[in-house]
Amino acid sequence: MNKIESLVRGNVRSLCPYSTARDEYQGSIGVFLDANESPYDNGVNRYPDPHQKQLKARLSQIKGVPAENIFLGNGSDEAIDLMYRIFCEPGKDNAVMIAPSYGMYSVAADINDIEVRMVPLAAEFALPKQALLDACDANTKLMFICSPNNPSGNAYELDEIIDIIKTFPGIVIVDEAYVDFSTKGSLRALVNEYENLVVLQTLSKAWGMAGLRLGMAFAQPYIIRLMSMVKYPYNICQATQDAVMRLLEEPVDEKVKEIVEQRESVASQLNVFSCVKKVYPSDANFLLVEFDDADAMYEHLLKDGIIVRNRNKVMGCKNCLRLTIGLPEENVKMINSISEYDCVIGK
Ligand SMILES: *Cc1c(COP(=O)(O)O)cnc(C)c1O
């Protein structure tokens, strides 16, 4: 058994996955009487491709990664949950993660009865490399690193993350949901070099398809095969596969560029307000901003019909709000509302 195989739960290693009749026969078929579907064509009467071959081929071109290194899930959240179900023995194993970070890592751990070990980020939200490694023991199967990190907004140097991948013997999951807004780059091209690396990306942010639910995981073929075995067979519905194929033909580079420009413009406008204590540097499509009184600012913005994310109660984010960058006119509304608070209410 190789190193990665030995990390896999015994029941998953010996799993015999569900297979469909169409899996077992690869020829040209004109009459489908195998799956108890309705024969009346309404566009969705047939089961979708459980392997999402067409979609993976297109994403393989766009991402420059072979299709055998790609898993597609119902959002990144499905891939996160699968990591626990494949590698972690409930009530025994644990996962190490940076804090503050994306909430789903610990929710999915709790659902699967996996111990969570949170390691606070260092000053200025730097990666606490040694503390992450120190938090591990023989039962640590997974380590989650989000870069650019939500909610802090900063991306880590690839070399720093690679050091951890080389040192930690378990699976390192690098969540790159916001990578399109960053100049630091992606680790996805290295999944065949590092057998314990899983990179998550999503169509929910830069690609503008949050409503379709499509998350990607990049990893070595063995891990991809495990994920495909454990997932629900038809996890990506036909409507999503069709809509994604269509929307992938519309490039988003210009929109991403505008959001990044808006991010820098909003950051510099916020910096002049006395109610703003700090605008953290961001490699994402949001800004983490420390206010004099985050709860009061949150209520003030709500009163103006603007909702942002209050992170005041999150570790290391006291008095911080997370502001998503919207359309230019939406950002103006937010700035005007903050300006009104700054001049009138805050004084
Ligand atoms: C938004 C986000 C995701 C995306 O989740 P989906 O389920 O793909 O919509 C993943 N990770 C982080 C850190 C996020 O902020």
Side-chain angles (χ1 to χ4, degrees):
M1 205 175 353
N2 72 30
K3 207 179 83 188
I4 300 301
E5 237 181 298
S6 67
L7 295 170
V8 177
R9 291 171 66 189
N11 60 311
V12 173
R13 220 185 289 133
S14 57
L15 186 69
C16 175
Y18 181 80
S19 90
T20 69
R22 281 168 225 175
D23 278 335
E24 286 152 21
Y25 182 82
Q26 309 281 342
S28 92
I29 299 277
V31 180
F32 293 96
L33 303 179
D34 61 319
N36 302 342
E37 299 153 334
S38 166
Y40 302 104
D41 187 2
N42 63 3
V44 288
N45 58 312
R46 300 293 175 190
Y47 280 99
D49 173 12
H51 311 293
Q52 305 110 20
K53 283 203 190 74
Q54 198 191 16
L55 201 46
K56 282 185 182 175
R58 186 70 190 100
L59 285 165
S60 165
Q61 288 175 331
I62 292 172
K63 295 291 177 180
V65 172
E68 62 170 11
N69 294 111
I70 303 176
F71 165 85
L72 301 181
N74 187 332
S76 312
D77 294 346
E78 181 179 4
I80 293 165
D81 183 59
L82 282 173
M83 288 294 107
Y84 289 110
R85 292 169 62 203
I86 291 168
F87 293 106
C88 297
E89 206 61 65
K92 177 175 166 230
D93 289 334
N94 67 73
V96 166
M97 59 196 71
I98 56 173
S101 196
Y102 187 45
M104 274 311 290
Y105 313 143
S106 57
V107 172
D110 291 345
I111 292 168
N112 287 287
D113 192 19
I114 307 304
E115 181 199 340
V116 168
R117 298 185 175 188
M118 297 223 188
V119 178
L121 292 172
E124 301 294 314
F125 299 125
L127 197 63
K129 230 175 359 182
Q130 195 52 48
L132 280 167
L133 295 169
D134 290 345
C136 298
D137 65 13
N139 291 321
T140 306
K141 295 290 187 65
L142 308 177
M143 187 184 291
F144 284 90
I145 298 173
C146 185
S147 179
N149 186 38
N150 178 5
S152 58
N154 57 322
Y156 301 111
E157 297 298 334
L158 299 187
D159 285 343
E160 277 193 290
I161 303 174
I162 290 170
D163 280 348
I164 292 177
I165 295 166
K166 285 177 171 169
T167 316
F168 174 57
I171 305 291
V172 180
I173 299 128
V174 182
D175 186 343
E176 297 183 339
Y178 300 97
V179 73
D180 306 273
F181 305 102
S182 165
T183 53
K184 293 250 162 70
S186 169
L187 288 173
R188 68 173 182 271
L190 302 183
V191 292
N192 287 321
E193 186 169 339
Y194 301 110
E195 59 180 6
N196 61 335
L197 169 62
V198 176
V199 175
L200 305 182
Q201 292 188 7
T202 179
L203 299 183
S204 296
K205 306 288 156 68
W207 280 97
M209 303 185 213
L212 291 176
R213 313 305 303 128
L214 200 97
M216 297 163 274
F218 304 97
Q220 58 142 319
Y222 174 64
I223 294 180
I224 297 299
R225 284 199 301 275
L226 288 169
M227 296 177 83
S228 306
M229 237 165 56
V230 175
K231 78 179 177 78
Y232 291 149
Y234 304 108
N235 61 329
I236 311 291
C237 76
Q238 190 65 52
T240 290
Q241 295 193 40
D242 292 344
V244 169
M245 280 304 285
R246 182 168 47 79
L247 289 171
L248 283 175
E249 296 315 309
E250 290 172 30
V252 289
D253 313 20
E254 286 304 314
K255 289 176 181 134
V256 168
K257 196 164 151 257
E258 175 160 280
I259 287 169
V260 169
E261 282 164 10
Q262 283 285 310
R263 177 186 79 203
E264 296 312 307
S265 155
V266 169
S268 60
Q269 293 176 75
L270 287 171
N271 265 317
V272 305
F273 297 133
S274 58
C275 64
V276 169
K277 297 300 158 202
K278 186 174 173 95
V279 181
Y280 286 94
S282 172
D283 298 288
N285 65 339
F286 59 83
L287 290 166
L288 187 72
V289 181
E290 186 191 341
F291 289 92
D292 54 357
D293 182 343
D295 291 344
M297 180 58 78
Y298 179 78
E299 292 300 328
H300 170 79
L301 287 165
L302 264 189
K303 181 184 66 52
D304 280 350
I306 300 166
I307 188 157
V308 298
R309 193 81 160 120
N310 191 347
R311 302 282 76 186
N312 183 30
K313 299 222 157 42
V314 170
M315 183 197 291
C317 298
K318 187 154 177 33
N319 272 323
C320 287
L321 301 180
R322 192 191 69 195
L323 314 176
T324 304
I325 302 302
L327 295 170
E329 57 266 34
E330 293 175 319
N331 304 331
V332 166
K333 278 187 190 156
M334 176 176 69
I335 291 287
N336 287 346
S337 176
I338 294 172
S339 166
E340 188 209 359
Y341 174 101
D342 202 57
C343 301
V344 185
I345 301 152
K347 291 277 146 73

